[in-house]
Amino acid sequence: MHALKKNRPLRRIVLASAATVSGMVLLLSLKPHTSPTLTTATSNSTVTQGSSGKGSKTVTGDTVQTRWGPVQVRVTIESGRITDVTAVQYPQDNPRDQEINSYALPQLRRETLSAQSAQIDMVSGATYTSTGYRQSLQSALDSAGR
């Protein structure tokens, strides 16, 4: 009997296993189709006059619901300049959220103070938090009349 005509069950088993594993890897690598758009909760912006003098405002932006949880920002504006920005609410329900936001929020704060607007760069790896932060920041600045 010729070598090419032999029935090779081991070869078929290996090929079938490789095909199954490849199929499973492809299936597991698919992401569910969800829209990356974020929905904004009802407007709950608040404006309070600061005690540091005339022209000082502290404004809390809208709460923005993201895929991983709500994001809300509070901004302090003095003499038309953003002097402080704080994330009031952000996702922190699990250790991964805490890890991501421990490096993302300080970067977003620095970007805001540098840009003096909501036109800031997003933080890689924290897309949803960055987008929610920008939207809440923009609503706070809108409420402050900036």
Side-chain angles (χ1 to χ4, degrees), residues 6 22 53-54 58 62 65 68 107 115 128-129:
K6 284 186 180 177
S22 297
K54 191 172 153 183
T58 300
D62 293 340
Q65 292 298 326
W68 304 114
Q107 287 183 28
Y128 292 101
T129 299

Side-chain angles (χ1 to χ4, degrees), residues 79-127:
S79 303
R81 292 194 46 84
I82 299 172
T83 58
D84 190 29
V85 60
T86 307
V88 179
Q89 289 184 27
Y90 53 92
Q92 53 187 340
D93 293 338
N94 61 56
R96 182 68 179 142
D97 288 341
Q98 294 168 6
E99 177 186 356
I100 290 169
N101 291 319
S102 69
Y103 72 84
L105 293 175
Q107 287 183 28
L108 291 167
R109 182 180 188 279
R110 279 192 301 273
E111 284 283 327
T112 302
L113 294 175
S114 174
Q116 290 293 307
S117 73
Q119 301 302 316
I120 58 175
D121 291 335
M122 295 179 55
V123 177
S124 178
T127 304

Side-chain angles (χ1 to χ4, degrees), residues 37-72:
T37 60
L38 304 173
T39 57
T40 305
T42 57
S43 178
N44 59 354
S45 298
T46 57
V47 178
T48 56
Q49 293 291 12
S51 60
S52 59
K54 191 172 153 183
S56 177
K57 296 181 197 178
T58 300
V59 184
T60 303
D62 293 340
T63 301
V64 179
Q65 292 298 326
T66 70
R67 179 177 180 179
W68 304 114
V71 177
Q72 186 177 30

